[in-house]
């Protein structure tokens, strides 16, 4: 890869540079962490988003996906969205340099691909592989990481929705994925959009799901419920994602709270983290015994078992109170459940989670 050469430029000064800084803010070690940055481009300086390249703090070219967002009146690019993977230590800052212009010809490298198969869409990179399929009860299934199954056979990232009955009982609505398609495909990430429906007897509600899958094993997952009436919204007690790991080991779960030390508990205790308000939280085990409590906002959670690691960050968690994160065991298989909706639902309909799949 080429280092920065300050004296190098295109004819007539056609190559331009802009530098920006990325900072890790959660006190975590990040490897291959997805970053999205919007860069303003002077009028007339760039007309083709392929004529860019990104250099890291050492001046080494790194993979980048670029997409124009806003154009100038003359048709040139005014705002450019960059997506790339960053390696950062806790609270570390690093500078990146964008080069662009008519004489830039970046390497044609593709690090992630999406293939249409007879049973759905297969997304894969050198690190992982997963499937999206119409007719499935999972948003994503057949998940493999570094050559080993990450979720149990026939299971995957499952959407769930709990309805509240008139007697206070809970009913589990069934998810059916009705359609899947590739919404965006580039060298760094593939975005898959899916449509489905949660149903229970005569009750049903449509749901849209989108997964922005990065080649490094990170997935931005979002789903939007389409409430058809206020009564629909009031009947929902919880809604979110559930991910089982393909191991028979309890392992441990760690909760990261803003402004506090991480809380680490055996996953065999099936701990439940509940955000009581926008600041107060409590962690209880499966018997209801309180293990920890305090003031702060849940920022991330990580479930580790049998060499597999599942991390999750709930985007905008401070606005989604109350909120619940649960761990469970299905026949010895550890499960992480992210309850993104919990009563009262409120007016917000879309929830976003950043998942990280890793294996040792």
């Amino acid at each position: 890869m080429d280092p920065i050469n300050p004296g190098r430029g295109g004819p007539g000064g056609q190559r331009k540079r802009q530098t920006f800084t990325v900072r890790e803010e959660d006190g975590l070690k990040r490897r291959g962490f997805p970053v999205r940055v919007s860069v303003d481009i002077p009028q007339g300086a760039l007309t083709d988003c392929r004529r860019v390249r990104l250099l890291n703090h050492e001046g080494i070219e790194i993979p980048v996906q670029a997409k124009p967002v806003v154009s100038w009146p003359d048709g040139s690019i005014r705002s450019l969205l960059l997506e790339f993977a960053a390696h950062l230590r806790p609270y570390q800052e690093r500078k990146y340099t964008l080069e662009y212009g008519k004489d830039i010809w970046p390497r044609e490298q593709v690090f992630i691909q999406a293939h249409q198969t007879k049973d759905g869409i297969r997304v894969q990179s050198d690190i992982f592989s997963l499937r999206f399929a119409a007719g499935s009860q999972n948003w994503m299934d057949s998940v493999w990481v570094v050559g080993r199954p990450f979720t149990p056979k026939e299971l995957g990232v499952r959407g769930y929705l709990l309805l509240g009955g008139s007697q206070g009982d809970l009913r589990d609505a069934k998810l059916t994925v009705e359609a899947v398609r590739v919404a965006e495909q580039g060298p760094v990430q593939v975005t898959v959009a899916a449509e489905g429906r949660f149903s229970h007897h005569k009750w049903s509600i449509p749901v849209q799901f989108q997964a922005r899958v990065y080649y490094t094993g990170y997935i931005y997952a979002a789903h939007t419920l389409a409430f058809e009436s206020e009564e629909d919204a009031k009947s929902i007690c919880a809604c979110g994602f559930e991910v089982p790991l393909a191991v028979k080991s309890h392992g441990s779960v760690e909760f990261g709270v803003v402004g506090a030390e991480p809380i680490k508990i055996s996953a065999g205790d099936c701990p439940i983290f509940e955000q009581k308000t926008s600041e107060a939280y409590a962690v209880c085990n499966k018997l209801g015994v309180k293990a920890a409590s305090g003031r702060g906002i849940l920022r991330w959670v990580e479930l580790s078992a049998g060499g597999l690691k599942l991390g999750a960050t709930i985007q905008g968690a401070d606005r989604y109170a109350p909120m619940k994160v649960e761990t469970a065991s299905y026949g010895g298989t550890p499960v992480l459940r992210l309850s993104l909706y919990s009563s009262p639902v409120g007016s917000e309909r879309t929830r976003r989670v950043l998942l990280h799949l890793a294996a040792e």
Side-chain angles (χ1 to χ4, degrees):
M1 294 186 177
D2 298 331
I4 292 178
N5 183 346
R8 182 182 176 189
Q14 292 179 328
R15 175 172 300 194
K16 299 183 183 297
R17 292 193 179 111
Q18 288 194 36
T19 300
F20 57 88
T21 300
V22 174
R23 184 176 188 271
E24 201 290 315
E25 297 182 339
D26 293 322
L28 299 174
K29 184 179 180 180
R30 307 286 193 177
R31 184 159 186 83
F33 188 77
V35 176
R36 304 182 95 201
V37 175
S38 181
V39 178
D40 293 331
I41 306 295
Q43 186 170 0
L46 183 65
T47 57
D48 185 349
C49 66
R50 295 173 299 176
R51 293 181 177 270
V52 303
R53 70 174 192 156
L54 187 64
L55 309 175
N56 66 11
H57 64 290
E58 296 178 332
I60 305 298
E61 183 178 356
I62 62 173
V64 64
Q65 189 162 318
K67 180 172 68 174
V69 179
V70 181
S71 299
W72 289 100
D74 63 359
S76 62
I77 297 171
R78 181 172 183 172
S79 180
L80 189 67
L81 178 65
L82 305 177
E83 295 183 89
F84 59 96
H87 305 314
L88 298 165
R89 296 191 299 273
Y91 305 112
Q92 184 181 33
E93 288 187 359
R94 278 187 169 168
K95 290 185 177 181
Y96 293 83
T97 300
L98 174 69
E99 292 190 339
Y100 57 93
K102 294 182 179 180
D103 67 333
I104 295 289
W105 289 102
R107 295 172 175 83
E108 294 293 334
Q109 293 178 303
V110 176
F111 297 87
I112 186 169
Q113 294 181 321
H115 304 282
Q116 187 74 47
T117 66
K118 63 180 181 180
D119 57 354
I121 297 171
R122 171 70 62 179
V123 177
Q124 61 187 56
S125 72
D126 290 341
I127 295 176
F128 70 94
S129 172
L130 53 86
R131 185 187 68 160
F132 300 82
S136 175
Q137 295 183 27
N138 304 307
W139 289 123
M140 297 176 279
D141 57 24
S142 299
V143 183
W144 288 65
V145 177
V146 292
R148 61 178 294 189
F150 191 85
T151 58
K153 188 177 181 180
E154 305 302 329
L155 295 178
V157 179
R158 171 181 174 261
Y160 76 91
L161 186 146
L162 294 178
L163 297 170
S166 57
Q167 304 300 319
D169 58 318
L170 296 178
R171 296 164 293 172
D172 195 355
K174 177 183 176 182
L175 170 67
T176 301
V177 180
E178 298 175 337
V180 295
R181 64 181 177 86
V182 176
E184 182 180 353
Q185 185 168 1
V188 168
Q189 63 95 346
V190 169
T191 299
V192 176
E195 296 180 0
R197 184 171 290 272
F198 284 109
S199 303
H200 181 79
H201 296 306
K202 295 182 179 180
W203 185 93
S204 71
I205 187 171
V207 58
Q208 296 177 343
F209 175 81
Q210 187 177 78
R212 196 162 69 241
V213 185
Y214 290 84
Y215 73 99
T216 52
Y218 283 90
I219 303 170
Y220 269 111
H223 69 77
T224 302
L225 292 176
F227 300 126
E228 296 177 344
S229 68
E230 188 65 26
E231 197 63 31
D232 283 340
K234 291 180 179 179
S235 64
I236 297 173
C237 293
C239 183
F241 302 105
E242 183 178 88
V243 188
L245 300 185
V247 294
K248 295 289 185 179
S249 170
H250 290 310
S252 64
V253 61
E254 191 168 2
F255 301 100
V257 179
V258 176
E261 290 295 319
I263 304 166
K264 190 170 184 177
I265 304 175
S266 169
D269 291 336
C270 299
I272 299 173
F273 185 106
E274 191 165 7
Q275 193 84 51
K276 299 289 187 179
T277 69
S278 61
E279 292 184 353
Y281 68 87
V283 182
C284 299
N285 63 19
K286 59 186 175 183
L287 300 177
V289 178
K290 186 178 293 185
S293 63
R295 299 187 65 81
I297 296 169
L298 178 66
R299 182 57 180 152
W300 53 267
V301 59
E302 183 177 81
L303 174 63
S304 302
L308 300 180
K309 289 187 177 182
L310 170 64
T313 301
I314 300 173
Q315 305 297 296
D318 55 323
R319 296 187 291 115
Y320 303 155
M323 178 184 64
K324 186 183 292 185
V325 175
E326 305 173 71
T327 53
S329 177
Y330 294 168
T333 296
V335 178
L336 182 66
R337 172 178 279 197
L338 305 170
S339 295
L340 308 182
Y341 284 93
S342 54
S343 184
V345 174
S347 59
E348 191 74 19
R349 300 181 178 184
T350 300
R351 295 295 186 263
R352 297 177 177 86
V353 172
L354 175 63
L355 301 174
H356 182 214
L357 316 181
E360 297 176 353

